[in-house]
PDB file of all heavy atoms in Angstrom:
ATOM      1  N   LEU A   1       8.632   2.797   3.427  1.00 96.00           N
ATOM      2  CA  LEU A   1       7.743   1.743   3.840  1.00 96.00           C
ATOM      3  C   LEU A   1       8.404   0.674   4.654  1.00 96.00           C
ATOM      4  O   LEU A   1       7.844   0.113   5.561  1.00 96.00           O
ATOM      5  CB  LEU A   1       7.041   1.068   2.558  1.00 96.00           C
ATOM      6  CG  LEU A   1       6.170   2.063   1.803  1.00 96.00           C
ATOM      7  CD1 LEU A   1       5.711   1.400   0.478  1.00 96.00           C
ATOM      8  CD2 LEU A   1       4.968   2.462   2.661  1.00 96.00           C
ATOM      9  N   ARG A   2       9.670   0.521   4.340  1.00 95.00           N
ATOM     10  CA  ARG A   2      10.516  -0.427   5.156  1.00 95.00           C
ATOM     11  C   ARG A   2      10.862  -0.007   6.564  1.00 95.00           C
ATOM     12  O   ARG A   2      11.373  -0.793   7.347  1.00 95.00           O
ATOM     13  CB  ARG A   2      11.847  -0.872   4.366  1.00 95.00           C
ATOM     14  CG  ARG A   2      11.454  -1.660   2.994  1.00 95.00           C
ATOM     15  CD  ARG A   2      12.708  -2.019   2.339  1.00 95.00           C
ATOM     16  NE  ARG A   2      13.491  -3.079   3.092  1.00 95.00           N
ATOM     17  CZ  ARG A   2      14.686  -3.397   2.829  1.00 95.00           C
ATOM     18  NH1 ARG A   2      15.407  -2.745   1.813  1.00 95.00           N
ATOM     19  NH2 ARG A   2      15.333  -4.289   3.439  1.00 95.00           N
ATOM     20  N   THR A   3      10.771   1.347   6.803  1.00 96.00           N
ATOM     21  CA  THR A   3      11.222   1.918   7.955  1.00 96.00           C
ATOM     22  C   THR A   3      10.063   1.972   9.053  1.00 96.00           C
ATOM     23  O   THR A   3      10.387   1.868  10.301  1.00 96.00           O
ATOM     24  CB  THR A   3      11.561   3.372   7.717  1.00 96.00           C
ATOM     25  OG1 THR A   3      12.607   3.393   6.835  1.00 96.00           O
ATOM     26  CG2 THR A   3      12.006   4.174   9.001  1.00 96.00           C
ATOM     27  N   VAL A   4       8.835   2.105   8.636  1.00 97.00           N
ATOM     28  CA  VAL A   4       7.731   2.244   9.592  1.00 97.00           C
ATOM     29  C   VAL A   4       7.083   0.928  10.084  1.00 97.00           C
ATOM     30  O   VAL A   4       7.317  -0.162   9.495  1.00 97.00           O
ATOM     31  CB  VAL A   4       6.686   3.151   8.895  1.00 97.00           C
ATOM     32  CG1 VAL A   4       7.181   4.490   8.490  1.00 97.00           C
ATOM     33  CG2 VAL A   4       5.925   2.440   7.744  1.00 97.00           C
ATOM     34  N   GLY A   5       6.365   0.969  11.267  1.00 97.00           N
ATOM     35  CA  GLY A   5       5.709  -0.104  11.778  1.00 97.00           C
ATOM     36  C   GLY A   5       4.593  -0.712  10.887  1.00 97.00           C
ATOM     37  O   GLY A   5       4.363  -1.870  10.916  1.00 97.00           O
ATOM     38  N   LEU A   6       3.785   0.175  10.276  1.00 97.00           N
ATOM     39  CA  LEU A   6       2.586  -0.258   9.493  1.00 97.00           C
ATOM     40  C   LEU A   6       2.834   0.333   7.989  1.00 97.00           C
ATOM     41  O   LEU A   6       2.223   1.384   7.756  1.00 97.00           O
ATOM     42  CB  LEU A   6       1.392   0.247  10.164  1.00 97.00           C
ATOM     43  CG  LEU A   6       0.032  -0.140   9.364  1.00 97.00           C
ATOM     44  CD1 LEU A   6       0.003  -1.649   9.155  1.00 97.00           C
ATOM     45  CD2 LEU A   6      -1.185   0.335  10.197  1.00 97.00           C
ATOM     46  N   PRO A   7       3.448  -0.335   7.200  1.00 97.00           N
ATOM     47  CA  PRO A   7       3.667   0.102   5.866  1.00 97.00           C
ATOM     48  C   PRO A   7       2.377  -0.298   5.048  1.00 97.00           C
ATOM     49  O   PRO A   7       1.900  -1.433   5.111  1.00 97.00           O
ATOM     50  CB  PRO A   7       4.809  -0.622   5.321  1.00 97.00           C
ATOM     51  CG  PRO A   7       4.924  -1.854   6.179  1.00 97.00           C
ATOM     52  CD  PRO A   7       4.267  -1.643   7.457  1.00 97.00           C
ATOM     53  N   ALA A   8       1.948   0.671   4.164  1.00 98.00           N
ATOM     54  CA  ALA A   8       0.600   0.448   3.411  1.00 98.00           C
ATOM     55  C   ALA A   8       0.928   0.972   1.989  1.00 98.00           C
ATOM     56  O   ALA A   8       1.712   1.875   1.782  1.00 98.00           O
ATOM     57  CB  ALA A   8      -0.538   1.165   4.082  1.00 98.00           C
ATOM     58  N   CYS A   9       0.151   0.432   0.962  1.00 97.00           N
ATOM     59  CA  CYS A   9       0.387   0.911  -0.365  1.00 97.00           C
ATOM     60  C   CYS A   9      -0.989   1.144  -1.126  1.00 97.00           C
ATOM     61  O   CYS A   9      -1.888   0.455  -0.836  1.00 97.00           O
ATOM     62  CB  CYS A   9       1.254  -0.028  -1.076  1.00 97.00           C
ATOM     63  SG  CYS A   9       0.565  -1.692  -1.300  1.00 97.00           S
ATOM     64  N   ALA A  10      -0.927   1.976  -2.055  1.00 97.00           N
ATOM     65  CA  ALA A  10      -2.089   2.121  -2.972  1.00 97.00           C
ATOM     66  C   ALA A  10      -2.321   0.894  -3.809  1.00 97.00           C
ATOM     67  O   ALA A  10      -1.220   0.143  -4.104  1.00 97.00           O
ATOM     68  CB  ALA A  10      -1.914   3.446  -3.845  1.00 97.00           C
ATOM     69  N   GLY A  11      -3.462   0.612  -4.161  1.00 96.00           N
ATOM     70  CA  GLY A  11      -3.750  -0.510  -4.983  1.00 96.00           C
ATOM     71  C   GLY A  11      -2.934  -0.680  -6.228  1.00 96.00           C
ATOM     72  O   GLY A  11      -2.691  -1.818  -6.607  1.00 96.00           O
ATOM     73  N   GLN A  12      -2.555   0.382  -6.943  1.00 96.00           N
ATOM     74  CA  GLN A  12      -1.947   0.253  -8.252  1.00 96.00           C
ATOM     75  C   GLN A  12      -0.437   0.186  -8.067  1.00 96.00           C
ATOM     76  O   GLN A  12       0.267   0.167  -9.050  1.00 96.00           O
ATOM     77  CB  GLN A  12      -2.339   1.541  -9.072  1.00 96.00           C
ATOM     78  CG  GLN A  12      -1.520   2.828  -8.755  1.00 96.00           C
ATOM     79  CD  GLN A  12      -2.025   3.557  -7.626  1.00 96.00           C
ATOM     80  OE1 GLN A  12      -2.988   3.127  -6.868  1.00 96.00           O
ATOM     81  NE2 GLN A  12      -1.419   4.683  -7.255  1.00 96.00           N
ATOM     82  N   ALA A  13       0.007   0.130  -6.926  1.00 95.00           N
ATOM     83  CA  ALA A  13       1.630   0.075  -6.704  1.00 95.00           C
ATOM     84  C   ALA A  13       2.098  -1.177  -7.287  1.00 95.00           C
ATOM     85  O   ALA A  13       1.442  -2.243  -7.439  1.00 95.00           O
ATOM     86  CB  ALA A  13       1.873   0.132  -5.211  1.00 95.00           C
ATOM     87  N   PRO A  14       3.302  -1.047  -7.658  1.00 94.00           N
ATOM     88  CA  PRO A  14       4.059  -2.356  -8.309  1.00 94.00           C
ATOM     89  C   PRO A  14       4.081  -3.529  -7.219  1.00 94.00           C
ATOM     90  O   PRO A  14       3.959  -3.371  -6.009  1.00 94.00           O
ATOM     91  CB  PRO A  14       5.537  -1.826  -8.538  1.00 94.00           C
ATOM     92  CG  PRO A  14       5.459  -0.286  -8.653  1.00 94.00           C
ATOM     93  CD  PRO A  14       4.293   0.047  -7.700  1.00 94.00           C
ATOM     94  N   LYS A  15       4.152  -4.653  -7.825  1.00 94.00           N
ATOM     95  CA  LYS A  15       4.084  -5.801  -6.985  1.00 94.00           C
ATOM     96  C   LYS A  15       5.141  -5.850  -5.934  1.00 94.00           C
ATOM     97  O   LYS A  15       4.842  -6.258  -4.805  1.00 94.00           O
ATOM     98  CB  LYS A  15       4.323  -7.124  -7.899  1.00 94.00           C
ATOM     99  CG  LYS A  15       4.217  -8.494  -7.178  1.00 94.00           C
ATOM    100  CD  LYS A  15       4.532  -9.601  -8.138  1.00 94.00           C
ATOM    101  CE  LYS A  15       4.568 -10.906  -7.355  1.00 94.00           C
ATOM    102  NZ  LYS A  15       4.798 -12.122  -8.174  1.00 94.00           N
ATOM    103  N   ALA A  16       6.363  -5.338  -6.147  1.00 93.00           N
ATOM    104  CA  ALA A  16       7.340  -5.395  -5.127  1.00 93.00           C
ATOM    105  C   ALA A  16       7.024  -4.458  -3.902  1.00 93.00           C
ATOM    106  O   ALA A  16       7.378  -4.762  -2.791  1.00 93.00           O
ATOM    107  CB  ALA A  16       8.714  -4.934  -5.639  1.00 93.00           C
ATOM    108  N   ILE A  17       6.253  -3.430  -4.191  1.00 95.00           N
ATOM    109  CA  ILE A  17       5.871  -2.533  -3.163  1.00 95.00           C
ATOM    110  C   ILE A  17       4.782  -3.316  -2.321  1.00 95.00           C
ATOM    111  O   ILE A  17       4.750  -3.101  -1.105  1.00 95.00           O
ATOM    112  CB  ILE A  17       5.302  -1.198  -3.649  1.00 95.00           C
ATOM    113  CG1 ILE A  17       6.479  -0.508  -4.443  1.00 95.00           C
ATOM    114  CG2 ILE A  17       4.789  -0.354  -2.589  1.00 95.00           C
ATOM    115  CD1 ILE A  17       7.668  -0.176  -3.651  1.00 95.00           C
ATOM    116  N   HIS A  18       3.845  -3.918  -3.027  1.00 95.00           N
ATOM    117  CA  HIS A  18       2.797  -4.694  -2.239  1.00 95.00           C
ATOM    118  C   HIS A  18       3.391  -5.741  -1.349  1.00 95.00           C
ATOM    119  O   HIS A  18       2.968  -5.933  -0.196  1.00 95.00           O
ATOM    120  CB  HIS A  18       1.860  -5.382  -3.244  1.00 95.00           C
ATOM    121  CG  HIS A  18       0.754  -4.509  -3.878  1.00 95.00           C
ATOM    122  ND1 HIS A  18      -0.444  -4.282  -3.294  1.00 95.00           N
ATOM    123  CD2 HIS A  18       0.785  -3.655  -4.945  1.00 95.00           C
ATOM    124  CE1 HIS A  18      -1.191  -3.626  -3.985  1.00 95.00           C
ATOM    125  NE2 HIS A  18      -0.485  -3.203  -5.074  1.00 95.00           N
ATOM    126  N   GLU A  19       4.467  -6.347  -1.913  1.00 95.00           N
ATOM    127  CA  GLU A  19       5.139  -7.313  -1.055  1.00 95.00           C
ATOM    128  C   GLU A  19       5.779  -6.977   0.325  1.00 95.00           C
ATOM    129  O   GLU A  19       5.828  -7.700   1.133  1.00 95.00           O
ATOM    130  CB  GLU A  19       6.065  -8.198  -1.915  1.00 95.00           C
ATOM    131  CG  GLU A  19       5.417  -9.011  -3.006  1.00 95.00           C
ATOM    132  CD  GLU A  19       6.397  -9.600  -4.008  1.00 95.00           C
ATOM    133  OE1 GLU A  19       7.586  -9.217  -3.946  1.00 95.00           O
ATOM    134  OE2 GLU A  19       6.029 -10.432  -4.793  1.00 95.00           O
ATOM    135  N   THR A  20       6.165  -5.720   0.281  1.00 94.00           N
ATOM    136  CA  THR A  20       6.783  -5.144   1.550  1.00 94.00           C
ATOM    137  C   THR A  20       5.750  -4.520   2.569  1.00 94.00           C
ATOM    138  O   THR A  20       6.191  -4.053   3.587  1.00 94.00           O
ATOM    139  CB  THR A  20       7.837  -4.094   1.130  1.00 94.00           C
ATOM    140  OG1 THR A  20       8.741  -3.999   2.322  1.00 94.00           O
ATOM    141  CG2 THR A  20       7.290  -2.783   0.891  1.00 94.00           C
ATOM    142  N   CYS A  21       4.470  -4.448   2.145  1.00 97.00           N
ATOM    143  CA  CYS A  21       3.511  -3.789   2.910  1.00 97.00           C
ATOM    144  C   CYS A  21       2.564  -4.758   3.768  1.00 97.00           C
ATOM    145  O   CYS A  21       2.389  -5.920   3.360  1.00 97.00           O
ATOM    146  CB  CYS A  21       2.536  -2.959   2.075  1.00 97.00           C
ATOM    147  SG  CYS A  21       3.383  -1.474   1.399  1.00 97.00           S
ATOM    148  N   LYS A  22       2.155  -4.241   4.883  1.00 96.00           N
ATOM    149  CA  LYS A  22       1.255  -5.124   5.708  1.00 96.00           C
ATOM    150  C   LYS A  22      -0.160  -4.788   5.523  1.00 96.00           C
ATOM    151  O   LYS A  22      -1.114  -5.568   5.772  1.00 96.00           O
ATOM    152  CB  LYS A  22       1.563  -4.705   7.282  1.00 96.00           C
ATOM    153  CG  LYS A  22       2.909  -5.211   7.778  1.00 96.00           C
ATOM    154  CD  LYS A  22       3.039  -4.813   9.268  1.00 96.00           C
ATOM    155  CE  LYS A  22       4.397  -5.285   9.758  1.00 96.00           C
ATOM    156  NZ  LYS A  22       4.530  -4.865  11.191  1.00 96.00           N
ATOM    157  N   PHE A  23      -0.475  -3.575   4.772  1.00 97.00           N
ATOM    158  CA  PHE A  23      -1.826  -3.217   4.448  1.00 97.00           C
ATOM    159  C   PHE A  23      -1.932  -2.777   3.101  1.00 97.00           C
ATOM    160  O   PHE A  23      -1.116  -1.919   2.568  1.00 97.00           O
ATOM    161  CB  PHE A  23      -2.341  -2.189   5.417  1.00 97.00           C
ATOM    162  CG  PHE A  23      -3.709  -1.648   5.141  1.00 97.00           C
ATOM    163  CD1 PHE A  23      -4.859  -2.464   5.536  1.00 97.00           C
ATOM    164  CD2 PHE A  23      -3.988  -0.599   4.470  1.00 97.00           C
ATOM    165  CE1 PHE A  23      -6.092  -2.049   5.286  1.00 97.00           C
ATOM    166  CE2 PHE A  23      -5.339  -0.165   4.128  1.00 97.00           C
ATOM    167  CZ  PHE A  23      -6.353  -0.979   4.606  1.00 97.00           C
ATOM    168  N   GLU A  24      -2.838  -3.323   2.290  1.00 97.00           N
ATOM    169  CA  GLU A  24      -2.987  -3.007   0.932  1.00 97.00           C
ATOM    170  C   GLU A  24      -4.315  -2.247   0.727  1.00 97.00           C
ATOM    171  O   GLU A  24      -5.353  -2.858   0.857  1.00 97.00           O
ATOM    172  CB  GLU A  24      -2.995  -4.215  -0.082  1.00 97.00           C
ATOM    173  CG  GLU A  24      -1.682  -4.949   0.104  1.00 97.00           C
ATOM    174  CD  GLU A  24      -1.566  -6.360  -0.675  1.00 97.00           C
ATOM    175  OE1 GLU A  24      -1.828  -6.213  -1.895  1.00 97.00           O
ATOM    176  OE2 GLU A  24      -1.401  -7.298  -0.076  1.00 97.00           O
ATOM    177  N   ALA A  25      -4.204  -0.910   0.260  1.00 97.00           N
ATOM    178  CA  ALA A  25      -5.450  -0.117   0.236  1.00 97.00           C
ATOM    179  C   ALA A  25      -5.934  -0.244  -1.229  1.00 97.00           C
ATOM    180  O   ALA A  25      -5.404  -0.917  -2.123  1.00 97.00           O
ATOM    181  CB  ALA A  25      -5.085   1.346   0.524  1.00 97.00           C
ATOM    182  N   CYS A  26      -6.970   0.498  -1.531  1.00 97.00           N
ATOM    183  CA  CYS A  26      -7.603   0.519  -2.844  1.00 97.00           C
ATOM    184  C   CYS A  26      -6.705   1.409  -3.846  1.00 97.00           C
ATOM    185  O   CYS A  26      -5.752   2.022  -3.384  1.00 97.00           O
ATOM    186  CB  CYS A  26      -9.006   1.148  -2.777  1.00 97.00           C
ATOM    187  SG  CYS A  26      -9.093   2.756  -2.210  1.00 97.00           S
ATOM    188  N   HIS A  27      -7.190   1.548  -4.902  1.00 97.00           N
ATOM    189  CA  HIS A  27      -6.523   2.459  -6.020  1.00 97.00           C
ATOM    190  C   HIS A  27      -6.663   3.808  -5.558  1.00 97.00           C
ATOM    191  O   HIS A  27      -7.588   4.212  -4.889  1.00 97.00           O
ATOM    192  CB  HIS A  27      -7.152   2.225  -7.314  1.00 97.00           C
ATOM    193  CG  HIS A  27      -6.446   2.763  -8.486  1.00 97.00           C
ATOM    194  ND1 HIS A  27      -6.487   4.176  -8.809  1.00 97.00           N
ATOM    195  CD2 HIS A  27      -5.755   2.216  -9.463  1.00 97.00           C
ATOM    196  CE1 HIS A  27      -5.681   4.352  -9.877  1.00 97.00           C
ATOM    197  NE2 HIS A  27      -5.275   3.235 -10.351  1.00 97.00           N
ATOM    198  N   CYS A  28      -5.528   4.543  -5.899  1.00 97.00           N
ATOM    199  CA  CYS A  28      -5.537   5.993  -5.470  1.00 97.00           C
ATOM    200  C   CYS A  28      -6.762   6.756  -5.994  1.00 97.00           C
ATOM    201  O   CYS A  28      -7.150   7.749  -5.257  1.00 97.00           O
ATOM    202  CB  CYS A  28      -4.238   6.680  -5.841  1.00 97.00           C
ATOM    203  SG  CYS A  28      -4.062   6.869  -7.550  1.00 97.00           S
ATOM    204  N   ASN A  29      -7.280   6.419  -6.999  1.00 97.00           N
ATOM    205  CA  ASN A  29      -8.408   7.143  -7.549  1.00 97.00           C
ATOM    206  C   ASN A  29      -9.721   6.923  -6.695  1.00 97.00           C
ATOM    207  O   ASN A  29     -10.630   7.724  -6.743  1.00 97.00           O
ATOM    208  CB  ASN A  29      -8.833   6.634  -8.968  1.00 97.00           C
ATOM    209  CG  ASN A  29      -7.810   7.033 -10.039  1.00 97.00           C
ATOM    210  OD1 ASN A  29      -6.944   7.915  -9.659  1.00 97.00           O
ATOM    211  ND2 ASN A  29      -7.948   6.544 -11.165  1.00 97.00           N
ATOM    212  N   LYS A  30      -9.734   5.883  -5.835  1.00 97.00           N
ATOM    213  CA  LYS A  30     -10.845   5.686  -4.954  1.00 97.00           C
ATOM    214  C   LYS A  30     -10.664   6.077  -3.445  1.00 97.00           C
ATOM    215  O   LYS A  30     -11.532   5.894  -2.683  1.00 97.00           O
ATOM    216  CB  LYS A  30     -11.197   4.104  -4.978  1.00 97.00           C
ATOM    217  CG  LYS A  30     -11.445   3.604  -6.396  1.00 97.00           C
ATOM    218  CD  LYS A  30     -11.826   2.140  -6.465  1.00 97.00           C
ATOM    219  CE  LYS A  30     -12.322   1.666  -7.664  1.00 97.00           C
ATOM    220  NZ  LYS A  30     -12.570   0.126  -7.700  1.00 97.00           N
ATOM    221  N   GLY A  31      -9.409   6.685  -3.262  1.00 97.00           N
ATOM    222  CA  GLY A  31      -9.257   7.098  -1.903  1.00 97.00           C
ATOM    223  C   GLY A  31      -8.477   6.195  -0.995  1.00 97.00           C
ATOM    224  O   GLY A  31      -8.891   5.767   0.087  1.00 97.00           O
ATOM    225  N   CYS A  32      -7.216   5.861  -1.356  1.00 98.00           N
ATOM    226  CA  CYS A  32      -6.565   4.853  -0.618  1.00 98.00           C
ATOM    227  C   CYS A  32      -6.067   5.264   0.749  1.00 98.00           C
ATOM    228  O   CYS A  32      -5.867   4.517   1.717  1.00 98.00           O
ATOM    229  CB  CYS A  32      -5.264   4.325  -1.408  1.00 98.00           C
ATOM    230  SG  CYS A  32      -4.080   5.622  -1.796  1.00 98.00           S
ATOM    231  N   VAL A  33      -5.834   6.692   0.950  1.00 98.00           N
ATOM    232  CA  VAL A  33      -5.499   7.152   2.219  1.00 98.00           C
ATOM    233  C   VAL A  33      -6.607   6.973   3.299  1.00 98.00           C
ATOM    234  O   VAL A  33      -6.360   6.547   4.401  1.00 98.00           O
ATOM    235  CB  VAL A  33      -5.117   8.576   2.131  1.00 98.00           C
ATOM    236  CG1 VAL A  33      -4.820   9.170   3.528  1.00 98.00           C
ATOM    237  CG2 VAL A  33      -3.747   8.781   1.366  1.00 98.00           C
ATOM    238  N   ALA A  34      -7.822   7.133   2.780  1.00 98.00           N
ATOM    239  CA  ALA A  34      -9.023   6.907   3.646  1.00 98.00           C
ATOM    240  C   ALA A  34      -9.074   5.438   4.109  1.00 98.00           C
ATOM    241  O   ALA A  34      -9.407   5.095   5.133  1.00 98.00           O
ATOM    242  CB  ALA A  34     -10.241   7.360   2.830  1.00 98.00           C
ATOM    243  N   ASP A  35      -8.741   4.487   3.126  1.00 98.00           N
ATOM    244  CA  ASP A  35      -8.707   3.080   3.495  1.00 98.00           C
ATOM    245  C   ASP A  35      -7.786   2.773   4.671  1.00 98.00           C
ATOM    246  O   ASP A  35      -8.157   2.102   5.559  1.00 98.00           O
ATOM    247  CB  ASP A  35      -8.199   2.277   2.208  1.00 98.00           C
ATOM    248  CG  ASP A  35      -9.312   1.575   1.438  1.00 98.00           C
ATOM    249  OD1 ASP A  35     -10.447   1.954   1.719  1.00 98.00           O
ATOM    250  OD2 ASP A  35      -8.962   0.702   0.634  1.00 98.00           O
ATOM    251  N   LEU A  36      -6.637   3.404   4.678  1.00 98.00           N
ATOM    252  CA  LEU A  36      -5.612   3.159   5.745  1.00 98.00           C
ATOM    253  C   LEU A  36      -6.166   3.774   7.002  1.00 98.00           C
ATOM    254  O   LEU A  36      -6.086   3.168   8.078  1.00 98.00           O
ATOM    255  CB  LEU A  36      -4.312   3.784   5.264  1.00 98.00           C
ATOM    256  CG  LEU A  36      -3.164   3.798   6.493  1.00 98.00           C
ATOM    257  CD1 LEU A  36      -2.869   2.365   6.998  1.00 98.00           C
ATOM    258  CD2 LEU A  36      -1.948   4.435   6.049  1.00 98.00           C
TER     259      LEU A  36
END
């Protein structure tokens, strides 16, 4: 995530992962890849 231009994370990711991302998607159960 720190390497790419647009880092994104699933909604249930730990707080530290959210903090390094530019886009926060929904929980993986709801289709977070589709969100991105």
Side-chain angles (χ1 to χ4, degrees):
L1 297 172
R2 295 182 67 191
T3 300
V4 302
L6 177 55
C9 63
Q12 80 282 359
K15 182 180 178 181
I17 300 299
H18 279 269
E19 289 174 348
T20 200
C21 288
K22 294 180 178 178
F23 181 78
E24 299 176 59
C26 63
H27 192 284
C28 67
N29 289 350
K30 297 180 179 179
C32 61
V33 173
D35 261 10
L36 173 60

